[in-house]
Amino acid sequence: MKKFVQSAMVAIVMVASFNAKANDKIANDGKNDPVKVVKEEESSIPAIRLISKPDGSSSFEVGTIKCLQHLNTSTFWMNNSVEDWEKDTHKAPRRQYVVTLKGRIKFKVTDGSTFIVKPGTVLLAEDTSGKGHSWEMEDEDDNTWVRLYIPITEGKEDFFVPNK
């Protein structure tokens, strides 16, 4: 089973990398474009990390995760539906990678800043305390968000590298 999970993780990273290269850029709310597709020779995938600040607010950081990095996980699951609690502002239920396979999701943090996650960008949901975040579907015509949830093993590194 462990070999299967590791193989699946490598496949997910490769699919996300391919999708990222197919898009010419990944943008936030249009004020600026903090996330750009990483050059192929850097072998990283764009990532955005939601964080909890000491004052209880949520924020985000833009960065990358190195390709083919063995991640500290032991399981994952898929979802294409939305539960009622996810529709309101909420904190992450656990530290986890959220890999979007289909859909464009606009996330909003405490200060009103927004960013968009679409296939090719890994979301690290690490705002597990405080006020949390909210999100909405960016594309009203296609209300489908297909994603993988990959919990990060408790107390282990997430391998997120913030942009400089």
Side-chain angles (χ1 to χ4, degrees):
M1 180 64 170
K2 185 176 181 180
K3 289 280 186 196
F4 169 76
V5 171
Q6 288 175 339
S7 295
M9 295 296 293
V10 170
I12 291 164
V13 168
M14 290 171 59
V15 168
S17 178
F18 174 79
N19 285 338
K21 291 172 187 165
N23 297 312
D24 59 352
K25 84 165 101 166
I26 298 164
N28 70 350
D29 60 4
K31 295 177 185 168
N32 55 33
D33 293 331
V35 183
K36 295 189 183 206
V37 172
V38 178
K39 294 178 185 173
E40 187 172 342
E41 63 270 10
E42 292 176 354
S43 298
S44 295
I45 294 179
I48 300 175
R49 177 167 58 183
L50 287 165
I51 57 172
S52 299
K53 295 171 80 175
D55 67 359
S57 64
S58 65
S59 189
F60 67 92
E61 300 175 292
V62 176
T64 60
I65 298 174
K66 184 178 173 185
C67 287
L68 301 178
Q69 173 65 54
H70 288 247
L71 304 173
N72 293 310
T73 66
S74 62
T75 189
F76 71 95
W77 59 90
M78 298 167 259
N79 200 355
N80 64 358
S81 63
V82 177
E83 296 180 33
D84 287 338
W85 67 268
E86 293 176 296
K87 295 175 185 176
D88 295 322
T89 300
H90 62 280
K91 57 188 177 183
R94 71 196 64 78
R95 291 176 62 229
Q96 61 189 354
Y97 303 98
V98 182
V99 179
T100 296
L101 302 175
K102 180 181 179 192
R104 290 175 52 96
I105 313 303
K106 184 177 183 179
F107 283 83
K108 183 175 171 182
V109 295
T110 308
D111 71 0
S113 298
T114 62
F115 61 91
I116 294 174
V117 170
K118 61 184 179 179
T121 301
V122 175
L123 176 71
L124 280 84
E126 295 192 21
D127 58 338
T128 58
S129 63
K131 297 175 183 166
H133 61 275
S134 62
W135 60 265
E136 61 186 37
M137 296 296 298
E138 180 73 359
D139 185 0
E140 296 287 328
D141 295 334
D142 184 6
N143 228 5
T144 305
W145 183 21
V146 180
R147 64 230 182 251
L148 301 174
Y149 290 106
I150 309 167
I152 301 168
T153 303
E154 187 69 33
K156 298 291 185 175
E157 185 176 349
D158 63 14
F159 298 104
F160 178 83
V161 178
N163 288 352
K164 296 178 181 169

